[in-house]
Amino acid sequence: MKRAVFKNRGLPYLLVLPQIVVTLVFFFWPAFESLRLSFFRTSPFGDKTSFVGLENFVNLLSSAEYYQSIANTFVFAFGVTALAVGLGLFVAALATQKVRGLAAYRTAVLWPYGIAPPIAGIIFLFIFHPSYGVLPYWLGFVTSYEFNWLLKGWVAMALVIIATAWTHVGYNIAFFLAGLLAIPTSVLEAASVDGAGALRRFRSIVLPLLSPITFYLVVVNLIFSFFGSFGVIHAVTQGGPGNATEIMVFKVYKDGFIGLNLGSSAAQSVLLMFVVIVLTALQFRFVEKKVIYS
Amino acid sequence: MSADGALTASARVEALPRIAEAPRRAPVDWGAVAVHALLLLCVAVIAFPLYYAFVISTQTVEEVIARPPMLSPSGHMFENYVEAWTRAHMARLLWNSAIVAVVSAVGKIAISVLSAFAIVYFDFRGKAVAFWMIFVTLMLPVEVRIMSTYEVIGDLGWLNSYAGLTVPLMASATATFLFRQFYLTVPNELVEAAQLDGVGPLRFLWSFLLPLSWANIAALFVVLFIYGWNQYLWPLMITNTEAMRVVVIGLQDLIPRTGTHIPEWNVMMAAAMMALLPPVAVILFMQRWFVKGLIESEK
């Protein structure tokens, strides 16, 4: 910690004030409001509010639809994470060879991170389009199965997973490459002098050294797909077909904004906050260890 | 990277005796060739969706729906982009997005620089509480408090306003942590020397600390610009007028839903290209800052 500090009574409060005000007004107030509303039932027109205790939570936890949205969220989040981190790790494994032009490859895979997931979703919507898209057309040569996301829930899920993973894979690659550069070449050279082949070097040296980064990326990708994925669902599938792609965050919005069931929406918010707290705690256990190169 | 970085360590070790025999010709490193081929394949897979979107944006509707699909650009780029520009009121959408991205990024940086400065360079009562309150924002993403945040914005009368679009995005624990982390690496001697010379805290921040922070500020700006440009849920909730829409949301009106519209995917893709170009260009041209910002802000 710094030893030399300025002495001033009022100034430090003035300096933190803007951030504290924004935090209080837009984070704490709404969070407590959600907590409060989750114990009430509000009539659809918002004119009557009555205390119902835990009824909103009981209703949620006994509704099959809610469990469906939890299951969808897990499929979606783990699908995106597996695809985006897996592909990132694959590229990292290739880059272990210290190939020429690594920086150019990084540029070539990084830019999709700038594309908003809803826009990526629109592009994949066309690629998956049952009548005009290339993907069903190409798959038509292999199988007569109808890859129509409007009819088949799992195809819709695959669509949003691939679109989301596409925007995020470059991020993972950037982290893996940064981690790779931090591994001393001497370690790898020593291993190859001892006769370890490329695959062996990757498995026994690079992978263990990258595992903290991998763990970190898994958590970050999960958080991102849990909470950052409202847009792609809203823009592309609207939770459909049926409820096949209705993830938890989308359901909070749908029940609150469209269904006007504020109590249930608030209760869902509270449960989601609990999930974020667990995931953030996990993320910070990693930061504590300070394993990312610094 | 050094020139011989292309050779793997093992190849270099094996190559040594052979170089002695035939100094002119290095053996072809098939391993490296295979690695390049696989990397190029990855790049192609990742680039294909964007390439395809661009191709569609240059075609007529007949070409878009042709079977087999045409995978090369056609000559109708100009009229599609003009059509998309006018139909989606693109000028207005892009302007709104630019305002949201720039104002929220600058505001966030300003707020974070100040609060991190207070936390690192001052001892004050309630410092721990302030730090904890900032930290907690990490755990409360907009997505989990949708309805109540909407009500707060409504109570403030900020619906359909730039204030409503930008101010709530400005509280960020990550930016504060980044600056705090950076200030902690600034040697104590600097502030001690400044104090001996009678430099006050604000002067120290402005003339000493900020000039040292430009690299961090630039890096953070790039990341936050992209974050702001690509906001979706927030603007969707708090704006409902055409004039206040941001581009990521405005695009949706152009999606040809199956069965009810002429499949004008060419116009759709032209609009999508215009909406994604600014953030992608920022990443490409400011890549060094972008990567720095990504990696440091996630520490």
Side-chain angles (χ1 to χ4, degrees):
Chain A
M1 209 60 211
K2 296 262 170 194
R3 262 168 294 129
V5 283
F6 289 103
K7 304 267 182 290
N8 196 310
R9 228 155 231 268
L11 188 62
Y13 294 101
L14 222 57
L15 291 170
V16 290
L17 191 69
Q19 179 140 26
I20 296 297
V21 168
V22 175
T23 306
L24 278 176
V25 175
F26 298 107
F27 286 78
F28 281 87
W29 182 8
F32 286 114
E33 199 53 23
S34 287
L35 199 59
R36 194 180 66 80
L37 275 176
S38 68
F39 298 108
F40 286 83
R41 184 173 30 217
T42 312
S43 68
F45 299 104
D47 49 353
K48 265 194 305 191
T49 317
S50 48
F51 182 78
V52 292
L54 289 172
E55 198 187 298
N56 288 320
F57 292 96
V58 172
N59 284 345
L60 266 183
L61 295 176
S62 56
S63 101
E65 229 179 86
Y66 192 60
Y67 286 105
Q68 171 78 43
S69 80
I70 295 178
N72 289 341
T73 308
F74 273 83
V75 171
F76 177 79
F78 282 93
V80 170
T81 305
L83 202 58
V85 178
L87 190 56
L89 200 58
F90 178 67
V91 172
L94 293 175
T96 314
Q97 304 292 316
K98 302 264 177 204
V99 289
R100 209 184 291 245
L102 212 49
Y105 284 119
R106 187 182 69 188
T107 311
V109 295
L110 194 56
W111 54 264
Y113 185 73
I115 299 176
I119 299 183
I122 291 173
I123 293 175
F124 278 90
L125 189 59
F126 184 73
I127 292 176
F128 273 74
H129 197 287
S131 354
Y132 318 126
V134 269
L135 195 68
Y137 178 78
W138 284 338
L139 289 172
F141 291 111
V142 189
T143 163
S144 59
Y145 186 85
E146 203 185 340
F147 288 93
N148 188 341
W149 71 269
L150 288 165
L151 305 174
K152 307 226 160 62
W154 77 267
V155 179
M157 184 58 99
L159 194 173
V160 287
I161 287 177
I162 293 173
T164 311
W166 180 54
T167 62
H168 225 56
V169 67
Y171 173 91
N172 296 334
I173 292 174
F175 266 81
F176 277 128
L177 292 185
L180 273 178
L181 291 179
I183 298 176
T185 358
S186 57
V187 176
L188 292 171
E189 283 177 6
S192 55
V193 170
D194 288 344
L199 210 64
R200 182 72 205 279
R201 284 201 303 278
F202 179 73
R203 232 189 35 220
S204 345
I205 300 174
V206 177
L207 209 53
L209 285 174
L210 285 186
S211 71
I213 293 186
T214 312
F215 174 71
Y216 169 79
L217 286 178
V218 166
V219 174
V220 168
N221 278 261
L222 283 179
I223 293 181
F224 167 80
S225 7
F226 257 86
F227 305 105
S229 303
F230 172 84
V232 65
I233 303 285
H234 183 265
V236 176
T237 66
Q238 293 275 338
N243 293 328
T245 55
E246 188 173 277
I247 60 174
M248 290 161 87
V249 180
F250 187 75
K251 194 168 158 58
V252 175
Y253 168 83
K254 197 181 89 174
D255 289 354
F257 243 75
I258 299 164
L260 293 177
N261 189 347
L262 298 186
S264 173
S265 176
Q268 292 176 42
S269 290
V270 171
L271 293 177
L272 269 175
M273 278 188 236
F274 182 71
V275 177
V276 203
I277 289 170
V278 171
L279 283 174
T280 317
L282 264 178
Q283 185 185 359
F284 269 78
R285 259 196 60 186
F286 165 83
V287 175
E288 290 275 289
K289 288 188 197 153
K290 290 196 194 283
V291 254
I292 216 168
Y293 79 110
S294 56
Chain B
M1 185 175 296
S2 64
D4 65 355
L7 290 176
T8 64
S10 65
R12 221 177 302 158
V13 172
E14 284 157 18
L16 280 175
R18 265 182 247 166
I19 287 169
E21 290 158 23
R24 290 262 154 196
R25 251 206 213 150
V28 178
D29 185 348
W30 289 108
V33 172
V35 166
H36 278 291
L38 282 171
L39 281 173
L40 284 174
L41 182 71
C42 288
V43 170
V45 167
I46 289 173
F48 176 75
L50 188 67
Y51 169 75
Y52 191 49
F54 170 72
V55 165
I56 296 298
S57 76
T58 64
Q59 297 178 341
T60 62
V61 173
E62 289 72 35
E63 289 167 330
V64 167
I65 65 174
R67 308 268 82 176
M70 283 178 54
L71 290 176
S72 54
S74 173
H76 303 272
M77 182 171 165
F78 187 71
E79 50 272 35
N80 290 340
Y81 281 71
V82 169
E83 176 65 27
W85 182 271
T86 49
R87 200 189 294 176
H89 308 288
M90 199 51 96
R92 182 76 200 176
L93 295 178
L94 291 173
W95 171 248
N96 286 341
S97 286
I99 293 213
V100 170
V102 171
V103 173
S104 68
V106 170
K108 207 179 232 181
I109 289 171
I111 286 181
S112 303
V113 161
L114 295 181
S115 60
F117 180 62
I119 284 170
V120 174
Y121 286 94
F122 290 89
D123 267 331
F124 59 98
R125 195 188 288 251
K127 181 160 143 172
V129 176
F131 191 73
W132 177 82
M133 279 175 65
I134 294 167
F135 172 76
V136 163
T137 58
L138 280 180
M139 303 193 182
L140 300 170
V142 177
E143 286 78 5
V144 307
R145 50 191 166 84
I146 297 177
M147 290 312 297
S148 39
T149 316
Y150 172 76
E151 281 176 15
V152 169
I153 301 286
D155 290 345
L156 289 172
W158 279 8
L159 295 176
N160 289 313
S161 73
Y162 287 123
L165 278 172
T166 53
V167 176
L169 298 180
M170 286 180 194
S172 146
T174 44
T176 310
F177 287 151
L178 177 73
F179 286 114
R180 173 179 168 269
Q181 211 78 350
F182 173 70
Y183 294 159
L184 289 176
T185 66
V186 174
N188 263 345
E189 287 76 14
L190 186 69
V191 64
E192 280 161 10
Q195 278 183 324
L196 280 180
D197 287 344
V199 172
L202 289 180
R203 178 77 204 289
F204 176 73
L205 174 66
W206 183 255
S207 317
F208 291 78
L209 225 41
L210 274 188
L212 289 174
S213 312
W214 282 123
N216 286 300
I217 291 176
L220 205 55
F221 179 82
V222 177
V223 171
L224 295 178
F225 176 89
I226 288 157
Y227 176 80
W229 186 278
N230 290 342
Q231 280 295 312
Y232 188 88
L233 176 57
W234 190 250
L236 177 75
M237 274 197 306
I238 68 159
T239 62
N240 53 25
T241 60
E242 193 101 324
M244 291 307 293
R245 269 208 196 135
V246 297
V247 69
V248 182
I249 299 200
L251 278 188
Q252 287 202 51
D253 295 346
L254 294 179
I255 302 178
R257 298 291 178 184
T258 309
T260 51
H261 296 277
I262 308 167
E264 285 180 294
W265 282 96
N266 49 354
V267 177
M268 170 76 253
M269 290 306 178
M273 296 301 289
M274 290 190 267
L276 63 81
L277 192 65
V280 168
V282 165
I283 289 189
L284 288 179
F285 290 113
M286 302 183 73
Q287 199 196 142
R288 208 160 65 82
W289 301 123
F290 175 67
V291 173
K292 180 180 161 68
L294 265 193
I295 286 168
E296 305 214 332
S297 65
E298 293 290 352
K299 259 188 210 170

